[in-house]
Every structure is written in structure tokens, then in C-alpha cells.
Amino acid sequence: MKFNYKKNIAAPLMIGLSMAIGLSSCQKDFGDINKPWDSKAYSATIPAMYNNLAVGMLEAGTSRTIFSSFLYQNTQLAANYAASGYRLNDQVGGAWTNYYTALANYREVETMIAKDLKADKMTNVKAMLKTLMAYKTLKATTLFGDMPYSQAGKGFSGPEFYRPAYDQQSDIMLAALNDLKWAVDNFNTNTDQYSLGSSETIFKNDIPTWIKFANSLRLRYAMVMRNKNASLADPIIVETLTKPLLAPGDNLGIYPSQVTGLTLNRAPSFRGNSYVRMGSTMWNAMSSTNATDGSGIYDLRCKILFEPNKAGQWVPYPQSPTEATTAEIVGDAPYLDARKTNFVSTGNYLYSPLSIFYVADDKIPELFITAAEVSLLKAEIYNRGIAGVVANPVTAKAFYEEGIAESVKFWYKTANSTSIGSVTKPNAAPTALELSTMLMHPAVAYNVANPAAALAQIYKQSWIALFHQPYDAWVLKRRTGNGTPNVALSPSSPVINLNKLVYPNSEMETNYENWKVVTGGADDMASKPWFMN
């Protein structure tokens, strides 16, 4: 099964009416549980419905061009050397459709479970479904803000649900966090539990991993809303710290190597109108000098995620270019598939690109949440002394260094296993000396004596660790009030006030009255979602 991340056209919200069509989904491991394509009738089953929701966890079809054309610029994880031909409002439909397809199917499988004679043995299945849907809901609302939720995905129940009202983001987040709590509290290892068997393609029926996943998501999103509503977030944060969280080595997501026939082709998102290069903000976060020979590089991830230019020099593209900036040679030379087998590019380019390994390896997992992120969230908690946790710079430093090490180890392991043989591979893991040298570098060493400076370091390292998760890096940037590394962008930048994704055009066309209530009749990406206020 091959997923290409490409531009999609927005689909109407009323996708709930056709929720059962999703059962045809996908081939290989994700789809073998369904009936043959040429059957005259299709019957929904709980394993099939669960599996269809699992397929939707992939971002396939959610317009990854948002990443390279807009989010890379806004988060400054990378830079665009030319204006993209993509329009933001043409890119959002995939994410919207992906979410509401999943929500409609989730509503239906809930009903199916309630009617099943084995419902009392399906606690784990319900907890898995609640966890997946809560994850998608929290992600969707941090993208769009207020959304149809409590009345959405119910089109099959009657015409009164065809045009669902929008819920406030605060209510949506609380409902999803409550679902995650229910899942954490109800997952169990009783042998009489109904098993999805091979249909459970996410964590292979590993209940302890499911618990850590759900609890770690609670921690992430409680921190997202903490600055807005501490009285609501703090009890959640305290509780998550007493229950299982991701530990070193836990990097949860969908791994193509574990699903027969699955590939995740990200390459199209870096060609054509994407115009992506390593930006000066990231370069300054990884190198202590502008030496083009790379002698100032201190971050062990730099040479894995980025490359020198065609001349073999490390030259970032300015995050905020001026008229004096030398223009890049327009072309896709560094990202062509031919470089997977012939590393030397036939084209020319003046600025350092993302590495061909990162762009072209279709086995890099799609990550949900990682040990690095969780460790750095703990570092933030102990740095700030929030949620009843006493500020402790020593403990904060330990989690800070653990988070950095986990991120570095992930990229070493991932690069070492690449099928692109022309890439110089690092060891399977960094040596103790390499890690300690990086952690002791003046730009990285935790500032125990200055909590404010140390907090900036935590946000910087969290931002770098989220390089492969630009949506989550965007949430981090917004929830911290631009606390992640950034420089002032040009006033003409198309992402200078990108605070939310605009709603797809289909919403204005098919759900106008409710759309108008929430937008005032003019949707604006500069409008701040609730968690930012």
C-alpha cells in the first residue's frame, strides 16, 4: 500500500452520510480484514471499522504541502527560497475531510459496540477507539480552532445533523481529554477481553503501550491549554505524572517497516512549488559559526537532516531574505529520486537543502508522540514549577538532557537503517562521548542558574525534536507565545500571522449559517484559537 502526500480538494463536511464507504479503505495489512472489492454487499464489522480509523491516522491525503509551503516558514524549521504557488485555503481540505471521515466512522462503531452481545468484553476496543479519536480531535482543533464536534459525524442519524453547529475549542479539548482519561483508567489486561487480532495495526494489542500513549497525549494537551486555564490543566498534569508515560526508546507512530507494503512518500512535498531549504534559524540553532565547512556544527542531528549545497558548503537560506540576498537557482535538483541511487546531483543549488535521506526515504515512520517530547515536557514542568510540582533545576536538567539524547538517538537509528545506500550513515547510536560533548556545548548546556534562560533552551530543543512533526512544532510555537527560535519575518511573508488554518471552502458552501457564527462572515488565519489567548 503506497501513500503519496499530495494536494487534495476539499470535500463537504457532510461526509458522515457516507461513513460506511470508508470500509473499502486500503490493501495489505490495513485492508485484508475487509470483504473482497467485488462483493455485492458490504457489512461493517467492528474490526473493519477500527482498522479504517487506524488507516486515517496517516496524514496521507491531508496536504503535506501545508508543511513545506506554510508551516516550515511559520515555525522556521526550514525556509522557502521562493514564493509558493500554493494557496493555503486550497490546502486545508484534506485535513478536514480526514478528521470528519474518522469521526463519522467512530460514531458508528460506538453504536455497533453498544449493540454487540460481547459489549461487556470490549472495554479495550472502546479505549483504543477513544484514544485514536481523541488524538485526532485534539490535533484537528489545534489546527482549526472552534469546530463542529458534538453534533458532527452524525449525518446518518437524520437531516437535523446535516449542518452541525460549531463547538468552542475549550469544550472540544476538555471532551477529548476526558476520553483519554477514560481510556487510561479502563485499559486492562484481562484475558477475557475481545481481541482485534491482526486488525490492531497500531500497537499490535500491546495494552501497556496504549496506556502510555493515551496518558502522554493527556500530558501534551494539558500543557497546550495550561497557560489559558491552569485550574483545569493542572490536575490533569499532576495525574499524568503519576501514571505511565513514554519512556526512553518509546517513539510511537506508524512504522512502514512493520506494515506489509506500506510506504510513506513525502518527496512530492519538497519539489515544485515547495522551494524548501535549510533556514538560517535552524542553522543558528545547530552551528556556533557560519563556517561553510561545517566546523561550527555542534548538533549531532544537523548532518542527518540537512546537507551542504552543491559546492559542498553549508549555506543556509536567510529566514527573512532581503533584496541583497542572492537568489537560489530554482529547481528540484537536491530532491530528485535519482539521488537515492546516485548521490551526486546533476543540478546546481546555492543553499543547503534538507537531506535526500530525509526527503526520499519512504520508510521513515509517521510519528504521533515521542519519548523526547515527553521528557522535554517534564523538563518544562520542573523548570517552571507548575501544577503543584516544586521547581527543581536539577531534575529539569536531567529531563532536558534525556529529551535531547532521545531525539538524537532516534535520528541516528533512523538514518542508520535507511535504504538509500549513498548516504553516509552514522552509527546506530551516538557514542557517550558524542552525546556528552553536545550536551556540554555552551549553546546546549542547561542553564541551572537562570530558569528563564533554561526555559528558552527547553523550547528550543523541543522545537528541534519536533522537526518531523511540523504541526506539533506549530502548536508549541503558538502555546509558548513564540517561545521557539524565531526571527522577524518579512512583512510580505504569507505566514507572518498564521495562527490557525482557515476552514475549507466547503464549510462556507454547505454549513454557511454555522460557519458565519464562528467566523463573523470572514475566515481569517490571523484569528487566534482559544488556547493562544
Side-chain angles (χ1 to χ4, degrees):
M1 170 182 68
K2 186 172 183 178
F3 287 92
N4 289 319
Y5 295 111
K6 296 181 179 177
K7 178 179 176 182
N8 277 296
I9 299 174
L13 173 62
M14 297 308 107
I15 200 158
L17 290 171
S18 59
M19 57 86 205
I21 296 175
L23 297 177
S24 60
S25 65
C26 187
Q27 60 268 55
K28 299 296 183 182
D29 287 0
F30 280 125
D32 289 341
I33 51 141
N34 296 321
K35 289 191 173 185
W37 68 271
D38 56 351
S39 295
K40 298 301 182 182
Y42 294 84
S43 60
T45 66
I46 290 170
M49 296 292 284
Y50 168 84
N51 197 262
N52 188 62
L53 186 57
V55 174
M57 294 295 285
L58 290 163
E59 285 169 357
T62 61
S63 295
R64 267 188 81 110
T65 45
I66 294 175
F67 281 20
S68 52
S69 299
F70 297 97
L71 291 192
Y72 276 151
Q73 292 184 71
N74 181 268
T75 61
Q76 302 189 27
L77 289 169
N80 287 59
Y81 64 86
S84 170
Y86 293 115
R87 290 171 50 85
L88 180 59
N89 61 351
D90 290 336
Q91 300 300 304
V92 301
W96 189 264
T97 299
N98 179 293
Y99 175 72
Y100 285 105
T101 300
L103 183 61
N105 283 308
Y106 171 73
R107 304 285 197 209
E108 178 63 11
V109 74
E110 276 192 314
T111 301
M112 292 170 63
I113 290 174
K115 294 179 179 178
D116 197 283
L117 296 177
K118 298 178 182 178
D120 61 331
K121 306 299 183 184
M122 293 187 179
T123 302
N124 282 343
V125 175
K126 289 192 291 186
M128 291 176 189
L129 289 163
K130 283 182 180 292
T131 300
L132 294 182
M133 200 64 235
Y135 170 82
K136 293 183 72 67
T137 296
L138 288 163
K139 185 171 183 177
T141 191
T142 52
L143 297 181
F144 291 99
D146 296 347
M147 296 176 63
Y149 177 66
S150 58
Q151 297 179 26
K154 299 179 180 180
F156 51 84
S157 297
E160 66 270 28
F161 297 108
Y162 287 2
R163 295 176 175 81
Y166 284 62
D167 293 84
Q168 295 182 353
Q169 184 177 70
S170 56
D171 294 334
I172 296 170
M173 294 186 74
L174 180 59
L177 286 167
N178 285 339
D179 281 347
L180 289 173
K181 176 177 171 55
W182 188 95
V184 172
D185 291 345
N186 286 277
F187 272 121
N188 67 82
T189 56
N190 295 341
T191 57
D192 65 346
Q193 281 289 297
Y194 177 87
S195 175
L196 292 168
S198 61
S199 296
E200 209 289 84
T201 49
I202 300 293
F203 301 133
K204 314 296 185 185
N205 301 292
D206 185 337
I207 299 303
T209 296
W210 274 103
I211 293 172
K212 288 191 288 187
F213 178 45
N215 195 45
S216 297
L217 290 176
R218 287 190 79 210
L219 176 61
R220 173 200 275 176
Y221 287 102
M223 291 294 287
V224 168
M225 66 192 301
R226 203 269 169 184
N227 288 344
K228 177 64 179 181
N229 191 333
S231 63
L232 181 62
D234 282 357
I236 299 173
I237 295 168
V238 170
E239 186 176 25
T240 61
L241 294 175
T242 67
K243 296 186 177 183
L245 291 163
L246 298 191
D250 293 330
N251 298 297
L252 303 185
I254 294 179
Y255 284 70
S257 60
Q258 298 176 8
V259 182
T260 304
L262 176 62
T263 59
L264 301 176
N265 181 15
R266 301 181 314 282
S269 295
F270 300 94
R271 299 174 183 153
N273 281 307
S274 295
Y275 305 128
V276 184
R277 294 291 186 267
M278 177 177 71
S280 55
T281 301
M282 181 61 79
W283 172 248
N284 291 332
M286 291 184 154
S287 178
S288 58
T289 74
N290 286 323
T292 58
D293 63 359
S295 58
I297 294 174
Y298 58 82
D299 192 300
L300 295 172
R301 293 160 291 191
C302 186
K303 293 183 180 180
I304 294 175
L305 298 173
F306 304 99
E307 292 180 9
N309 66 9
K310 179 59 182 295
Q313 298 177 327
W314 289 90
V315 183
Y317 189 77
Q319 210 74 48
S320 186
T322 67
E323 292 183 359
T325 300
T326 302
E328 175 63 299
I329 300 170
V330 178
D332 298 328
Y335 304 134
L336 296 177
D337 283 342
R339 293 195 64 215
K340 291 192 289 186
T341 54
N342 181 12
F343 186 76
V344 178
S345 172
T346 57
N348 193 18
Y349 41 97
L350 304 178
Y351 297 95
S352 297
L354 280 65
S355 73
I356 187 62
F357 146 73
Y358 180 73
V359 169
D361 192 322
D362 55 18
K363 293 296 185 180
I364 296 177
E366 184 160 299
L367 297 171
F368 304 151
I369 189 168
T370 66
E373 181 180 350
V374 170
S375 294
L376 289 162
L377 286 172
K378 291 179 181 178
E380 180 182 353
I381 291 168
Y382 281 95
N383 168 278
R384 296 173 62 188
I386 62 175
V389 174
V390 177
N392 187 324
V394 174
T395 303
K397 177 178 182 289
F399 282 124
Y400 169 80
E401 293 182 345
E402 180 179 84
I404 296 171
E406 282 301 301
S407 177
V408 171
K409 289 176 182 177
F410 171 82
W411 284 113
Y412 264 61
K413 182 178 180 180
T414 303
N416 183 262
S417 63
T418 183
S419 60
I420 301 176
S422 57
V423 174
T424 301
K425 299 180 182 180
N427 295 324
T431 66
L433 178 60
E434 287 174 326
L435 271 178
S436 64
T437 300
M438 177 179 168
L439 293 172
M440 289 188 296
H441 190 279
V444 180
Y446 190 80
N447 194 331
V448 175
N450 187 332
L455 183 60
Q457 290 178 305
I458 292 170
Y459 291 154
K460 170 185 172 181
Q461 291 300 329
S462 299
W463 171 75
I464 295 174
L466 291 170
F467 179 80
H468 189 49
Q469 300 161 256
Y471 282 124
D472 298 317
W474 187 35
V475 173
L476 177 68
K477 175 181 182 290
R478 289 178 291 160
R479 81 157 174 94
T480 60
N482 290 320
T484 55
N486 69 90
V487 298
L489 297 177
S490 167
S492 63
S493 170
V495 296
I496 195 167
N497 290 312
L498 178 57
N499 293 322
K500 65 179 287 294
L501 297 186
V502 294
Y503 300 110
N505 291 334
S506 58
E507 270 298 279
M508 183 172 60
E509 296 166 356
T510 64
N511 196 18
Y512 178 76
E513 292 301 326
N514 291 311
W515 172 88
K516 184 178 179 180
V517 169
V518 78
T519 64
D523 196 1
D524 186 359
M525 71 179 189
S527 299
K528 291 183 177 181
W530 171 79
F531 78 89
M532 288 185 66
N533 295 335

